[in-house]
Amino acid sequence: MLRVTKLTDYATVVLTVLAARPGEVLSASDLAEHSGLETPTVSKVLKPLAQAGLVEGLRGVHGGYRLSRDAAEISLVEIVEAMEGPLAMTECSQSESQCGIAQKCGARANWRLINDVVSDALRGFTLAQMIAPPPSSDDVRRRPIAVQVATR
């Protein structure tokens, strides 16, 4: 099964809390209360989010965290990469692959193509879209992704 880690999921939850309150500064405990997560977990996800420049921490009596830019400017791929590093579906889909058979692998090119499709999909979805009400089932239209898979 392909899935993001729990911490990445929690980071998205924390970011949606901040996105729903633009400009507000919330402490880790406030974020925990609004998100339903434990304060240590919130603190743990805030560190890489701050290092990636997605949130900014403010010190002082009224300190806390806020988004570093508008939620419409933060893509899901940025969140995933802040928490997990560069997106790579497989070892060989990374630029600097450590796989011993990468140069001889017949599947590598297509894994890289699939990696690019997933990355583009995450890049095309923003944090602002995550807090918008989901469309009704009648309105759901899947966007086709044009992909040409090379055959040998």
Side-chain angles (χ1 to χ4, degrees):
M1 176 181 294
L2 182 66
R3 68 170 68 181
V4 296
T5 64
K6 281 185 181 182
L7 282 180
T8 300
D9 187 20
Y10 296 158
T12 305
V13 171
V14 168
L15 289 171
T16 59
V17 170
L18 289 170
R21 295 161 178 79
E24 282 188 43
V25 177
L26 298 174
S27 68
S29 58
D30 290 336
L31 286 166
E33 182 180 327
H34 290 296
S35 66
L37 298 170
E38 298 293 326
T39 302
T41 302
V42 171
S43 296
K44 188 173 183 176
V45 301
L46 285 169
K47 184 176 181 180
L49 294 174
Q51 289 173 336
L54 299 177
V55 299
E56 57 185 358
L58 303 167
R59 295 180 179 254
V61 177
H62 300 290
Y65 295 87
R66 66 179 174 204
L67 292 180
S68 61
R69 57 189 196 267
D70 189 84
E73 297 173 7
I74 298 174
S75 70
L76 289 186
V77 78
E78 290 179 272
I79 300 166
V80 170
E81 289 184 341
M83 299 304 295
E84 301 187 31
L87 184 66
M89 302 288 294
T90 62
E91 175 64 35
C92 66
S93 60
Q94 296 181 31
S95 310
E96 302 296 321
S97 176
Q98 300 297 315
C99 179
I101 63 166
Q103 300 307 318
K104 299 175 187 174
C105 179
R108 182 178 191 207
N110 286 321
W111 271 120
R112 292 184 104 177
L113 177 66
I114 293 164
N115 195 80
D116 291 345
V117 169
V118 172
S119 182
D120 288 345
L122 292 172
R123 190 173 286 106
F125 208 84
T126 68
L127 183 57
Q129 290 171 298
M130 291 294 284
I131 63 171
S136 70
S137 59
D138 294 339
D139 294 338
V140 174
R141 292 183 187 93
R142 295 197 182 260
R143 293 182 294 170
I145 299 175
V147 176
Q148 292 181 336
V149 178
T151 57
R152 293 185 186 250

